[in-house]
Amino acid sequence: MHYPDNQDVDKAVAELLRVLGAHDMQDWSVPAGSLEWSCWTTAAHIAHDLLAYAGQVAACPADAYLPFDLAVRPGTAPREVLQVVTACAGLLSSALATAGHGYGSGPSVPNPDPHRG
């Protein structure tokens, strides 16, 4: 099984920025495709999850998610929300690159392959 590593995160955020960055001057209060959430809320949620995963990888808690949260201020421009996504992705990428394990399922599951970081 392949656990996401820092290169996967870097590729994913580069693609996200390529696709969404072209639309950062548009109205992000509209639904994100078929979702009930707006484009803005969806992007903020992506940032939130990237940061949460970074914390899990860095701390490697045994049985729970860490009790912290990311709040993107309401009214933040889409371009700035994408900067928050970029920052959170960078933190996750760095955590994966230095932790010596990938991120699987559960609160924090070490990568079973010791040759992959």
Side-chain angles (χ1 to χ4, degrees):
M1 170 178 258
H2 173 76
Y3 288 96
D5 62 20
N6 64 304
Q7 293 176 350
D8 295 318
V9 172
D10 294 344
K11 288 176 192 173
V13 76
E15 181 65 9
L16 179 142
L17 293 172
R18 184 189 70 75
V19 172
L20 297 182
H23 304 283
D24 65 0
M25 298 302 289
Q26 295 182 0
D27 179 8
W28 279 30
S29 66
V30 299
S34 62
L35 299 178
E36 292 182 20
W37 286 356
S38 70
C39 295
W40 190 97
T41 300
T42 302
H45 178 76
I46 291 168
H48 171 275
D49 284 359
L50 290 168
L51 182 62
Y53 296 154
Q56 293 304 109
V57 170
C60 208
D63 60 357
Y65 285 94
L66 298 175
F68 72 94
D69 210 352
L70 171 71
V72 180
R73 292 185 189 119
T76 299
R79 177 172 289 166
E80 292 173 311
V81 175
L82 290 178
Q83 289 176 333
V84 175
V85 171
T86 301
C88 293
L91 292 169
L92 176 56
S93 180
S94 295
L96 287 168
T98 59
H101 61 83
Y103 189 82
S105 60
S108 188
V109 178
N111 188 335
D113 183 350
H115 302 290
R116 284 188 45 91

